[in-house]
Amino acid sequence: RKEVEQDPGPFNVPEGATVAFNCTYSNSASQSFFWYRQDCRKEPKLLMSVYSSGNEDGRFTAQLNRASQYISLLIRDSKLSDSATYLCVVNIRTGGFKTIFGAGTRLFVKA
Amino acid sequence: NAGVTQTPKFRVLKTGQSMTLLCAQDMNHEYMYWYRQDPGMGLRLIHYSVGEGTTAKGEVPDGYNVSRLKKQNFLLGLESAAPSQTSVYFCASSYSRAEMTYEQYFGPGTRLTVT
């Protein structure tokens, strides 16, 4: 089992739709959580950090459920510009540290 | 504030050649990382550094060496390039405090082709 697993995608949604991505992690020593977006042939860019139970930034809401070991990302009122790959990232405290990137979920928003 | 920069942006090597990729950050971050990303795959950690003068192996370190002589720079070396090292290489850096690491900031990447 992978340490971080994401919805395989791709997700194809119309403009204005609400879309949710899920990410599960297996290591209970997971400490901090992030969502990144990556555009084609570009570097990953931080979308949101999720340090507590969840947080909201405009059309984006991230939630963390430590008991069930998953985080989610909700995008409301999807825009064409939201088309990208969304990466779930988990930092694990192991005595040192370990950062695990999910494989990503591809989102296509169409007009 | 340039963030994280990488040079070169593109490079083509022949099998057996060597090269060094340079990463620089101006955010005074302690931690720096080198990743590779192959088509259809996630990011895989090659090496990382938790401070000047220290380096450690990541998930896929074979065929690569690194050095962190200055806090702001992290170099990735390929001593004898192989076609399997054709990839996009990303450098990243992050702040750390009290055994906790924070979000990573990435450079624009280096596209390397080994023929």
Side-chain angles (χ1 to χ4, degrees):
Chain A
R1 181 185 174 189
K2 292 182 181 178
E3 290 189 271
V4 174
E5 294 199 70
Q6 295 188 239
D7 290 332
F11 283 59
N12 292 282
V13 302
E15 269 188 299
T18 296
V19 61
F21 304 139
N22 289 318
C23 171
T24 58
Y25 59 94
S26 58
N27 194 317
S28 58
S30 297
Q31 179 186 69
S32 51
F33 310 88
F34 311 92
W35 284 102
Y36 283 72
R37 71 169 278 165
Q38 186 174 24
D39 294 289
C40 189
R41 301 175 72 82
K42 298 286 189 180
E43 72 272 26
K45 291 186 177 177
L46 180 69
L47 181 64
M48 298 181 77
S49 301
V50 189
Y51 287 112
S52 56
S53 61
N55 49 303
E56 183 174 320
D57 183 4
R59 297 183 294 108
F60 300 85
T61 301
Q63 294 207 313
L64 168 65
N65 185 319
R66 286 189 182 271
S68 301
Q69 297 189 178
Y70 79 84
I71 63 175
S72 63
L73 177 67
L74 183 75
I75 305 175
R76 290 180 296 276
D77 189 22
S78 298
K79 312 291 185 191
L80 294 176
S81 59
D82 293 334
S83 297
T85 297
Y86 290 83
L87 306 175
C88 171
V89 182
V90 175
N91 278 354
I92 300 171
R93 182 173 174 175
T94 62
F97 83 96
K98 188 174 173 183
T99 298
I100 308 294
F101 284 79
T105 300
R106 189 78 172 91
L107 172 65
F108 295 95
V109 181
K110 55 186 186 296
Chain B
N1 188 337
V4 181
T5 58
Q6 293 182 231
T7 53
K9 289 186 170 51
F10 303 92
R11 185 73 186 268
V12 179
L13 288 179
K14 295 187 176 180
T15 298
Q17 287 185 318
S18 63
M19 77 164 295
T20 300
L21 283 67
L22 172 64
C23 176
Q25 53 95 4
D26 61 2
M27 296 174 282
N28 202 35
H29 285 165
E30 287 293 334
Y31 284 33
M32 295 187 75
Y33 318 78
W34 276 106
Y35 294 92
R36 62 177 289 173
Q37 188 174 39
D38 300 297
M41 296 185 70
L43 290 157
R44 292 185 291 170
L45 183 64
I46 304 171
H47 285 280
Y48 66 97
S49 169
V50 300
E52 182 179 322
T54 69
T55 63
K57 293 180 179 180
E59 181 186 355
V60 288
D62 294 341
Y64 305 95
N65 57 75
V66 288
S67 64
R68 182 103 181 264
L69 298 179
K70 294 182 179 180
K71 184 177 183 179
Q72 63 268 34
N73 296 338
F74 195 28
L75 279 62
L76 178 71
L78 285 74
E79 291 185 346
S80 179
S84 61
Q85 294 179 303
T86 294
S87 189
V88 179
Y89 291 85
F90 289 106
C91 176
S93 69
S94 70
Y95 175 62
S96 68
R97 184 183 67 186
E99 296 187 339
M100 185 165 170
T101 57
Y102 294 82
E103 59 270 18
Q104 295 181 26
Y105 294 87
F106 284 81
T110 295
R111 297 185 180 281
L112 175 66
T113 301
V114 183
T115 61

